[in-house]
Each structure stands twice: as structure tokens, then as C-alpha cells.
Amino acid sequence: MVSTATQIANFNFDNCLMNAAGVYCMTREELEQVENSAAGSFVTKTGTLEARAGNPEPRYVDTELGSINSMGLPNNGFEYYLDYVIELQNQADSKNHFLSLVGLSPAETHIILKKVQESDYQGLVELNLSCPNVPGKPQIAYDFETTTEILTEVFSYFTKPLGVKLPPYFDIVHFDQAAAVFNQFPLAFVNCVNSIGNGLVINDETVVIKPKNGFGGLGGDYIKPTALANVHAFYQRLNPSIQIIGTGGVKSGRDAFEHILCGASMVQIGTALQQEGPAIFQRVTDELKAIMTEKGYESLEDFRGKLNYID
Ligand code: DHB
């Protein structure tokens, strides 16, 4: 029997596929649709201390090769999502989940994480260090000093399983420096990658999204090679106790297979989920299983990280 089951930090998942934060996760109704699909889990929209309306529309647009967005962190406030994952956790047959969080400042991040620490939530937390779309707020994970400071403080009080969502890095020296930072901490996982920040898509003579004069995060086909490179670079460099979640450019079983080959233990779908809806999880699962069957693989462990190089 071919299985796509996986584990992150001792949490079991029947399937390695799930949504990427930002897609199908703003409301309970959307999260319920992912919960009731073939996905193995869901992650909630990144929650801030207070609810936010986000940037003006149009702020997400599908393109031929993927998508561009500058949502600006619209969300219902982290407690909305915390309450929901606790509610599900208390149901017998519930899947395990990921709660995505970040503050608009380090101080706000610590207020949020201290509340999660004190809560009944026992699931996984994803700290988003890579939101590219809030005007005036640079991506935390491109600043290694600030990242080190935040994680040092976080791990002084936070004892629940925690991972970080990372932006793509583009230089080998940055892979080395980032991995050296993350290896100092008892992280459960790193999630590679968030959108490629601040692209620009033009239709005729005009930008296609309103915020930031059209600049926005790219997802979809544009980003798969960058995502695979980041998954594999961190797989090569991180302590084996830090698992990798692969995100970026997944719309087929072949794409998911490649992320796992690069070292991913779980695979998230963003743009293609937005375009196709939650039925995509069954389709991509079936395609991944067909590839595994053809190759004689029964579990993800049979090929995870086993990317071949040319001698
Ligand atoms: C938003 C976009 C991101 O890529 C992210 O990580 C968090 C928030 C947004 O614009 O809402």
C-alpha cells in the first residue's frame, strides 16, 4: 500500500499535502473546507494581535504563470484562529494543525506567543518571519540580527512546538548564514518558501494590483525552482531535528514529489489551491501516489532528500 503519511515533530498526518498560509484560511468556513478535503492538515491565516482589514483591492491577481498579491495581512486577529484550533483539538477525530502568527513588532510577537504558550493549544505554531506586504515593515528573516534576537527571546518562554516561515534566499552565503542562525534554536521545522517578494506584473500599461503601486509577492510557477533550491539548501544545512516544509509552485503530484525529493516532510499548496479549490488535494495526492507506485516507493521516507547529483 502506497502512503503519503508524514510526521512533523511527533505529530502524525495521514497526508503530506496541506494549504499554504494565506490561502483558504481566513475564516472558519474556509478552514473547514480544507479540513474536510484530502489535505492532511491546515495552517491558519497569519494572525496578528488585533484584527486587520489589510490593503485596498485589487490585492490578489492570478496570472498565466502564477499569482501576485499584496494582501497586507488581513486577518481576524490571532485569538480567532487560536480559539478554532483549540476547538478542533478537543474533537476526537480531528487532524493536527498549524497556527500561523506574527506581531507587527517584536514586542507584539512576544505578547501573542506568550498567550499561545498559556493557552490550551497543544498543536504546532508557525511564526511568520516573511510577510513582504506591510508598507514600512521589512521582512524579518532578511535581517539575521533581528531574527536571532526574536528567536532568542521566544525560546526563553515558549516550550510548544514552533517552526518558522521563511522567505526565499538567493545567495549561497545567505543559505549558510540563515542555517547557522536557525541551527541555534530548538525549532520543529522551517517552511520554505513564502512568496518571492515585491515582483511587478503589468497589464497593458498598468499594474494589476493596487497596493504599493503594483509591487507584490509572486507565487505559482514563477517560484518552483527557487522553492526547491531553498528546501534542499536547508535540508543540507539544518540539524536533522529541524524538519522542512516545502512550499512554492506545487500544482501537481510531480511538483510535490520534487519537494519531497529535495527534503520536504510536508508540502503546502498556495496559488494552485486558490485557483482550483480544495478538490486539488485529492488530485495531487492521486498523482503523487501514481508516481510513487511507478517507482516502487511505498512511503515518503523511501525518497525524501534523495535527490541525485550529476558526478
Ligand atoms: C501576507 C503575505 C504574506 O506572504 C505573508 O507571509 C503574510 C501576509 C499578506 O499580504 O497578507
Side-chain angles (χ1 to χ4, degrees):
M1 266 300 283
V2 172
S3 167
T4 59
T6 193
Q7 279 192 336
I8 300 278
N10 298 324
F11 290 86
N12 291 312
F13 302 91
D14 288 346
N15 190 2
C16 63
L17 300 173
M18 61 182 290
N19 68 304
V23 181
Y24 271 88
C25 60
M26 184 85 84
T27 62
R28 282 174 172 243
E29 290 70 28
E30 288 181 345
L31 288 161
E32 243 166 55
Q33 290 185 62
V34 181
E35 184 75 355
N36 295 329
S37 76
S41 182
F42 67 62
V43 57
T44 57
K45 174 67 183 169
T46 300
T48 50
L49 190 55
E50 307 291 343
R52 291 170 55 85
N55 293 337
E57 295 179 346
R59 58 191 188 180
Y60 172 96
V61 167
D62 288 315
T63 70
E64 217 171 288
L65 296 174
S67 66
I68 184 167
N69 86 84
S70 181
M71 304 296 288
L73 267 175
N75 76 94
N76 288 316
F78 83 97
E79 280 170 326
Y80 173 95
Y81 305 102
L82 178 61
D83 289 348
Y84 185 48
V85 289
I86 291 173
E87 193 180 304
L88 289 180
Q89 161 186 292
N90 294 333
Q91 295 175 8
D93 53 352
S94 174
K95 299 171 183 175
N96 294 308
H97 301 110
F98 295 75
L99 180 65
S100 174
L101 304 166
V102 77
L104 294 180
S105 64
E108 224 180 85
T109 295
H110 298 309
I111 293 171
I112 294 168
L113 285 176
K114 283 177 182 171
K115 291 210 174 177
V116 175
Q117 174 68 26
E118 289 160 12
S119 77
D120 290 333
Y121 182 56
Q122 301 300 338
L124 290 146
V125 173
E126 178 172 286
L127 178 61
N128 187 352
L129 300 180
S130 50
C131 175
N133 298 334
V134 181
K137 303 271 176 199
Q139 292 194 48
I140 298 166
Y142 284 147
D143 179 340
F144 295 134
E145 208 177 297
T146 302
T147 297
T148 304
E149 278 170 21
I150 290 173
L151 291 177
T152 300
E153 177 77 13
V154 165
F155 283 110
S156 73
Y157 60 84
F158 199 80
T159 60
K160 296 180 177 180
L162 180 88
V164 288
K165 179 76 173 277
L166 300 181
Y169 298 97
F170 301 96
D171 194 289
I172 300 297
V173 169
H174 294 161
F175 291 140
D176 292 341
Q177 291 172 341
V181 169
F182 299 125
N183 275 332
Q184 296 171 50
F185 300 101
L187 289 163
F189 65 89
V190 302
N191 185 342
C192 306
V193 295
N194 207 316
S195 54
I196 292 183
N198 295 302
L200 189 60
V201 173
I202 300 170
N203 180 19
D204 190 16
E205 299 185 9
T206 306
V207 301
V208 299
I209 56 172
K210 180 169 177 179
K212 295 171 63 176
N213 288 341
F215 285 66
L218 303 177
D221 295 352
Y222 301 113
I223 80 166
K224 191 178 78 167
T226 295
L228 294 175
N230 276 261
V231 168
H232 197 56
F234 283 103
Y235 185 75
Q236 291 170 311
R237 287 167 176 75
L238 292 180
N239 304 330
S241 60
I242 307 180
Q243 292 179 270
I244 321 276
I245 299 177
T247 306
V250 177
K251 64 179 184 189
S252 70
R254 174 69 205 182
D255 301 324
F257 180 81
E258 290 177 8
H259 269 272
I260 297 160
L261 201 61
C262 287
S265 292
M266 193 120 199
V267 176
Q268 299 188 336
I269 307 181
T271 295
L273 168 60
Q274 179 62 39
Q275 295 173 346
E276 194 170 326
I280 194 171
F281 292 112
Q282 190 63 60
R283 177 179 67 76
V284 174
T285 304
D286 292 345
E287 291 172 6
L288 176 58
K289 284 185 171 174
I291 294 167
M292 290 172 64
T293 301
E294 192 193 315
K295 290 177 174 286
Y297 298 144
E298 292 184 345
S299 71
L300 304 193
E301 288 70 41
D302 291 344
F303 64 101
R304 178 183 303 121
K306 296 188 178 162
L307 179 64
N308 291 317
Y309 308 133
I310 300 170
D311 292 330

